[in-house]
């Protein structure tokens, strides 16, 4: 998704942080700064991967026959007690794969105007693509499915706004409505940018404070920022990507009030622009299945951390 407006002035990095690297990776210093400043918690979750959250409570080799509560390993917890192996049980997450591979075949439908509160916008767009033709819509669907798999293993109920199961769309207003109807604990829209070559890195778009027409984001601005900061920190950690060098002033965060998917949301929601498809260096990452798995882990881990913090837990 290309950037449609000039960025606002999000919070900048808070002071210098010393980071020691045993391998000479250019992103290490910058990534460490963003990770420290945006809520990446190095002491949490073991190696930071989703498996560390999902494996808590399993018996270690040579450990006691029963768990801490006296139950045999693997047995179900008493009714009403959370399962330590499913820390996100009871949580609902909506993942929105940006655009739709079929949008290009339905120009009339996706160009129809919908109300986003502050004004009207097109139902949707085709999204961007790499110079070699790898479509953003294909990328977002792949990453969204990977996020779903990771979070479901931790017990979350995950709903995709679409799963290549409709000819086009949904429109941006419907994408927000799906999260609202689900009363989601968190919603994340997955995208990739279409800026010029040389513009590199990821950024997370946060909702601005809007109260106009059918849009009122005031209640979700705070929790959405917390969600976005968690995701940004974990995205750096898992992917090695640097924050955008062209949006957000090095914070990896951007605040916008012109996106229907955010304006109409009633639940905490952010957009993640995973990289710039038009830059050759970013495109090399975005087209790698291994890197896309890392991106999915970063986003999923950020969601899990946000939900744990919101519930007063430590995943």
């Amino acid at each position: 998704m290309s950037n449609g407006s000039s960025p606002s002035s999000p919070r900048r990095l808070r002071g210098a942080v010393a980071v020691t690297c045993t391998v000479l990776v250019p992103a290490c210093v910058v990534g460490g700064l963003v990770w420290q400043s945006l809520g990446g918690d190095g002491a949490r979750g073991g190696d930071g991967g989703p498996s560390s959250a999902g494996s808590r409570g399993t018996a270690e080799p040579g450990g006691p026959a029963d768990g801490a509560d006296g139950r045999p390993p693997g047995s179900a917890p008493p009714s009403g007690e959370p399962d330590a192996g499913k820390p996100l049980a009871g949580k609902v997450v909506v993942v929105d794969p940006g655009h739709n591979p079929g949008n290009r075949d339905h120009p009339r439908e996706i160009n129809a105007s919908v109300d986003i509160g502050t004004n009207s916008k097109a139902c949707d767009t085709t999204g961007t693509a790499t110079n070699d033709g790898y479509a953003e819509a294909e990328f977002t669907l792949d990453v969204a499915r990977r996020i779903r798999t990771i979070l479901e293993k931790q017990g979350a109920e995950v709903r995709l706004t679409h799963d290549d199961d409709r000819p086009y769309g949904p429109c941006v207003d419907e994408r927000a409505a799906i999260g609202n109807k689900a009363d989601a604990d968190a919603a994340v829209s997955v995208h990739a940018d279409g800026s010029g070559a040389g513009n590199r890195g990821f950024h997370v778009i946060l909702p601005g404070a809007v109260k106009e027409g059918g849009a009122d984001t005031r209640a979700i601005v705070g929790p959405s920022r917390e969600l976005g900061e968690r995701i940004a920190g974990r995205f750096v950690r898992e992917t090695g990507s640097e924050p955008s060098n062209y949006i957000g002033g090095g914070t990896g965060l951007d605040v916008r009030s012109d996106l229907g998917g955010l304006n109409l949301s009633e639940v905490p929601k952010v957009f993640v622009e995973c990289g710039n498809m038009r830059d050759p260096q970013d495109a090399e990452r975005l087209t790698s299945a291994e890197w896309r798995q890392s991106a999915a882990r970063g986003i999923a881990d950020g969601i899990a951390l946000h939900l744990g913090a919101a519930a007063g837990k430590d995943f």
Side-chain angles (χ1 to χ4, degrees), residues 116-119 176 180 207-212 214-218 220 256-266 269 271:
I116 67 167
T118 54
N119 61 306
N180 298 341
V210 172
K211 187 181 188 305
E212 188 174 346
D216 187 352
T217 62
R218 292 173 298 173
I220 68 164
R256 289 177 61 172
S257 301
D258 64 324
L259 298 175
L262 296 180
N263 284 3
L264 299 176
S265 183
E266 299 168 3
K269 184 174 182 179
F271 280 39

Side-chain angles (χ1 to χ4, degrees), residues 19-127:
V19 180
T20 301
C21 304
T22 56
V23 180
L24 295 179
V25 181
C28 186
V29 174
V30 176
L33 290 171
V34 175
W35 163 44
Q36 292 288 345
S37 67
L38 299 185
D41 300 300
R44 297 190 185 191
D47 63 359
S51 60
S52 63
S55 63
R56 290 182 62 182
T58 56
E60 294 292 331
D66 293 333
D69 59 0
R71 293 185 290 109
S75 62
S79 178
E81 287 189 19
D83 186 342
K86 300 286 185 181
L88 297 182
K91 300 295 186 181
V92 178
V93 178
V94 169
V95 181
D96 175 31
H99 313 289
N100 182 320
N103 280 359
R104 62 179 178 268
D105 300 321
H106 295 270
R108 180 176 63 84
E109 290 87 350
I110 67 168
N111 285 320
S113 292
V114 298
D115 184 4
I116 67 167
T118 54
N119 61 306
S120 295
K121 269 197 158 182
C123 159
D124 201 1
T125 70
T126 59

Side-chain angles (χ1 to χ4, degrees), residues 171-183 260-261 264-265 269:
C171 295
V172 293
D173 56 342
E174 184 182 352
R175 290 172 187 266
I178 290 170
N180 298 341
K181 184 177 180 180
D183 194 22
L264 299 176
S265 183
K269 184 174 182 179

Side-chain angles (χ1 to χ4, degrees), residues 261-280:
L262 296 180
N263 284 3
L264 299 176
S265 183
E266 299 168 3
V267 301
K269 184 174 182 179
V270 300
F271 280 39
V272 183
E273 296 280 0
C274 297
N276 177 20
M277 300 198 96
R278 293 294 188 175
D279 176 75

